[in-house]
Amino acid sequence: MKIYDWPTGPYPARVRIALAEKALQSRVQFVSINLRKGEHKTPEFRAKNYSGTLPVLELEDGTFIAECTAITEYLDGLDGVPTLTGGTPREKGVIHMMSKRAELELLDAISVYFHHATPGLGPDVEIYQNAEWGFRQRDKALKGMHYFDGVLNRQPFVAGEAFSMADITVIGGLIFAGLVELPVPAECEALQAWYARTQERPSVKNRVTMSEPTEASV
């Protein structure tokens, strides 16, 4: 399998963490796509992923799977023992609900802020910007942080009692928040404590270095 991504990207981080949680790093080859140069928007890359976004998983039969949730679902099911996306209908429903909320209320909101209200990836890539919309989404992300702080005040993980795809999505959001220098509010103590704990997981700690040549194989 191949993973097309950018090592430090917050969306690629989601799939990298999932790969490590499932111990699948040795089964993938990483192909770096330079976001700053806009390589993800070229016709060649769009032939792989119409949306022009990262990451993308290429299977051995030539199938391309984009979107982090879809990729994680595929990877989690390879061994027949899903640990990230839920094993029962209830678990699946809650995990997918919370992961989607993390996308809408946090990760995607920060992405809009980055692309519209900051220099983003630079003038060659950011062809259209709407700063007002970007700042609105920044404020939405801050509200999202308060929401997840409340969730984590009641339970150890985002979707309940176990680490899951929902946690990975929130981690992606906070990675992005760090990149755009949008700090978690001081009063969100439960969210901050949870994030500190997740940083100790090898899958999170080693997400950038896992694509080094010695750790990936064709």
Side-chain angles (χ1 to χ4, degrees), residues 53-95:
T53 57
L54 298 175
V56 176
L57 172 67
E58 181 180 359
L59 306 184
E60 293 178 359
D61 66 0
T63 299
F64 292 98
I65 302 177
E67 310 303 335
C68 295
T69 299
I71 296 171
T72 302
E73 190 85 48
Y74 176 83
L75 296 173
D76 198 29
L78 284 177
D79 61 2
V81 185
T83 56
L84 299 175
T85 57
T88 68
R90 181 186 183 280
E91 289 174 351
K92 288 180 180 293
V94 173
I95 289 170

Side-chain angles (χ1 to χ4, degrees), residues 100-123:
K100 186 63 175 180
R101 286 183 179 175
E103 287 181 338
L104 293 173
E105 306 299 329
L106 186 61
L107 180 54
D108 291 350
I110 295 173
S111 178
V112 173
Y113 168 62
F114 171 71
H115 289 294
H116 285 273
T118 80
L121 294 173

Side-chain angles (χ1 to χ4, degrees), residues 7 22 27 40 57 61-62 86 109 120 144-145 208:
K22 301 296 292 186
R27 292 182 57 180
H40 57 306
L57 172 67
D61 66 0
M145 291 178 187
V208 175

Side-chain angles (χ1 to χ4, degrees), residues 123-138:
D124 293 336
V125 180
E126 309 293 0
I127 298 174
Y128 167 78
Q129 290 186 301
N130 183 329
E132 180 183 1
W133 178 238
F135 285 120
R136 284 192 180 188
Q137 291 299 296
R138 176 201 61 187

Side-chain angles (χ1 to χ4, degrees), residues 8-26:
T8 56
Y11 288 89
R14 295 169 63 185
V15 168
R16 285 169 170 248
I17 293 168
L19 279 168
E21 289 286 336
K22 301 296 292 186
L24 291 170
Q25 304 97 305
S26 64

